[in-house]
Amino acid sequence: MEPMKTLTEIVVEARRRLEPSAWNYLMGGADSEATLLRNRQALDMLTLCPLVLNDVSSVSTEAEFLGRRVAAPFFLAPIGSLALLHGDGVLASAAAAAQFGVPCFVSIMSRPHFRDVASTVDGDLILQIYARGDGTWLLRQSDMAADAGFKAVCLTVDTAWYGRRERDLAFGFAPVEAVDRPAVADRVGVEGDLCQARFDWRGLEAFIARSSLPVIVKGVQRGDDARRLRDLGAAAIYLSNHGGRQLDHARAPIDVLQEVGRDLSGRVDVFVDSGFMRGADILKAVALGARGVGLGKLQGLSLACGGQPSLFRALNILQTELSHSMALCGATSLQQVTADLVAPALPFAAPRSIVSISPEAWASAIGPDTADGGFTDGVTTS
C-alpha cells in the first residue's frame, strides 16, 4: 500500500477492512449518541484567530508530558479491545508511539499482559486501570507497573456502570467476551463490576497517597472535581467522557477545558480526549490549557488500516497538520499557542469531521436491507 497522504484516506481504508461489529464497537457511543456528536460539534464551534506577519519559517511541536520531552502534545489513549481492530493490538500502538516519540496509555483490559508490553517496547508507557478490585488490588497493579518500567498509572473513574452502547446491543456484540484480558482474567464479571460501582473519593485519595507511581485520573467532567483532584495530589487531570461511550448527553471535554484549563495550568497537568481527530483540534486544546490530547478513535482507525506502519503514518500526518495550523496562526512553538488564538463560533448545520454519524445511518444500520451491518455512510470525505 502506498503511503497515505491524508487522515481521511486512512479512515476510509479502515472502514473497508473492519468487520461491522468491530467498526460499530470503535465508532459507537452511548444510547442516542448525543455525547458522541456533541464532542465533535463542540470542537467545530471553536474557531482559530490567526496572528499574521510573524516569522514562522521554523515551527516546533515539541511538548512536555509529566516532565518529559515528547515530540508532540498528543498521546495514544487507552483502548481495551485493540485486538479487535488489528492482530498486534496494543503492541502495535506502543511501538508506533515509541517510534514517533509520544506516550502510549496501555489499558489493563488489553492483551497481551501489560508487563509483556513493557518488556517488548521501549517507550513512555502509562498503565490505565479500572477499580476492578479493592485498594490492595489497585496498589498491586501500580507496583507491577512500576517494576515493569511504566512512567505513571492512569485510573479511569467514569465507568461506575458500563455505558449502554446501542450499536453493540443491537448487533449482539459483547466486547468483554470477544478479546482475552489476561491482566484482569479473574476480575471480569459481577465482583469486578461491584468494585467499580463502589469506588469513591476515599478510595481514590488512599490510592493517590500510596501508589508507587504518579496517578493520572481519567474521566473528569466537572471543574469542581478537577480542582478537588488537584488538591488531592493527582499528577494529572484527564478530562474525558470516554469518547461519548458512557453517559448520554454529557458535556464535551473541550467545553470543560475552557472552564478549567487556564485555571489549573501551571498547578497540575491537564489532559483531554473525546472527539479529537485533526491537527487543528489539537491546537485548540493546547490554546485552552491542555498539556496533552488523547487519540482514541483515530488510533483505532489507523491500526485497522494497517497496523503499526499506518498508525505511525497517522501520527506524522497529525503532526504535519498541527505544524501547519500553528504556522498559519503565527506560532512557532506551543508556548506561543495561547487562548487569544481561539474564539467561539456558530455551529455548522451538523457536526463535520472525517468521521460523522447521522440518524439516517443508524436507521439504515438496523434496517432489513442492510447487508454489511450498517454505518456505510459513517465516513465522509467532505
Side-chain angles (χ1 to χ4, degrees), residues 132-146:
R132 302 293 296 181
D134 60 14
T136 300
W137 182 86
L138 284 171
L139 290 171
R140 188 161 63 247
Q141 310 315 305
S142 178
D143 290 343
M144 283 193 291

Side-chain angles (χ1 to χ4, degrees), residues 7-8 11 277-278 298 352-356 378-382:
L7 294 177
T8 300
V11 174
M277 299 291 292
R278 308 303 294 250
L298 183 59
R352 291 171 56 88
S353 70
I354 57 174
V355 177
S356 65
V379 176
T380 66
T381 55
S382 59

Side-chain angles (χ1 to χ4, degrees), residues 294-319:
L295 307 174
K297 287 182 174 61
L298 183 59
Q299 173 192 173
L301 291 164
S302 302
L303 277 185
C305 178
Q308 178 187 341
S310 291
L311 179 52
F312 179 70
R313 178 62 179 152
L315 296 176
N316 276 280
I317 294 172
L318 193 66
Q319 183 186 41

Side-chain angles (χ1 to χ4, degrees), residues 341-359:
L341 294 180
V342 177
L346 292 174
F348 295 116
R352 291 171 56 88
S353 70
I354 57 174
V355 177
S356 65
I357 301 155
S358 66

Side-chain angles (χ1 to χ4, degrees), residues 23-372:
W23 170 264
N24 292 328
Y25 160 76
L26 177 63
M27 304 308 298
D31 296 324
S32 71
E33 300 193 341
T35 304
L36 187 70
L37 292 172
R38 184 170 287 114
N39 287 343
R40 186 61 242 172
Q41 188 172 66
L43 283 161
D44 288 343
M45 289 176 64
L46 293 173
T47 57
L48 295 173
C49 308
L51 295 166
V52 297
L53 296 175
N54 286 345
D55 181 353
V56 290
S57 55
S58 177
V59 174
S60 171
T61 65
E62 282 194 353
E64 187 176 287
F65 183 94
L66 297 182
R68 300 169 66 86
R69 299 300 295 176
V70 293
F74 48 78
F75 56 84
L76 300 187
I79 301 177
S81 298
L82 280 174
L84 289 173
L85 310 174
H86 189 274
D88 292 338
V90 71
L91 285 174
S93 286
Q99 182 183 6
F100 184 78
V102 293
C104 179
F105 283 58
V106 177
S107 174
I108 199 168
M109 294 293 187
S110 62
R111 71 178 191 201
H113 196 285
F114 61 83
R115 289 176 298 189
D116 296 327
V117 178
S119 66
T120 304
V121 178
D122 182 17
D124 288 333
L125 302 178
I126 293 86
L127 176 65
Q128 177 266 339
I129 59 177
Y130 298 93
R132 302 293 296 181
D134 60 14
T136 300
W137 182 86
L138 284 171
L139 290 171
R140 188 161 63 247
Q141 310 315 305
S142 178
D143 290 343
M144 283 193 291
D147 291 343
F150 282 77
K151 302 299 188 294
V153 62
C154 172
L155 181 62
T156 295
V157 295
D158 64 351
T159 54
W161 285 38
Y162 191 77
R164 282 182 50 83
R165 301 168 191 177
E166 285 201 355
R167 300 199 200 189
D168 292 345
L169 292 170
F171 298 114
F173 179 70
V176 72
E177 300 172 1
V179 177
D180 294 335
R181 305 177 190 277
V184 291
D186 61 340
R187 310 304 304 171
V188 174
V190 174
E191 184 178 359
D193 291 343
L194 284 175
C195 287
Q196 284 185 199
R198 290 169 177 164
F199 192 72
D200 60 12
W201 282 97
R202 290 177 299 174
L204 177 62
E205 183 174 7
F207 181 59
I208 290 174
R210 298 173 60 192
S211 172
S212 51
L213 287 172
V215 177
I216 302 165
V217 181
K218 179 179 182 288
V220 182
Q221 300 176 59
R222 294 172 56 107
D224 50 358
D225 280 349
R227 287 181 281 270
R228 185 173 180 181
L229 288 167
R230 173 201 60 199
D231 296 340
L232 284 181
I237 296 163
Y238 192 154
L239 307 178
S240 174
N241 59 31
H242 224 91
R245 301 161 70 77
Q246 280 298 107
L247 176 65
D248 200 16
H249 294 279
R251 295 176 71 191
I254 191 70
D255 288 338
V256 184
L257 181 63
Q258 293 184 75
E259 176 188 339
V260 304
R262 288 298 167 185
D263 177 47
L264 298 178
S265 180
R267 304 182 186 185
V268 63
D269 284 349
V270 178
F271 305 145
V272 65
D273 72 12
S274 302
F276 294 84
M277 299 291 292
R278 308 303 294 250
D281 300 339
I282 308 295
L283 182 63
K284 293 173 186 179
V286 172
L288 294 172
R291 181 72 73 175
V293 177
L295 307 174
K297 287 182 174 61
L298 183 59
Q299 173 192 173
L301 291 164
S302 302
L303 277 185
C305 178
Q308 178 187 341
S310 291
L311 179 52
F312 179 70
R313 178 62 179 152
L315 296 176
N316 276 280
I317 294 172
L318 193 66
Q319 183 186 41
T320 298
E321 289 186 353
L322 174 60
S323 298
H324 275 71
S325 295
M326 289 172 61
L328 291 172
C329 282
T332 61
S333 70
L334 296 180
Q335 290 70 36
Q336 295 176 3
V337 177
T338 51
D340 62 306
L341 294 180
V342 177
L346 292 174
F348 295 116
R352 291 171 56 88
S353 70
I354 57 174
V355 177
S356 65
I357 301 155
S358 66
E360 292 76 17
W362 174 239
S364 67
I366 60 175
D369 298 327
T370 302
D372 69 346

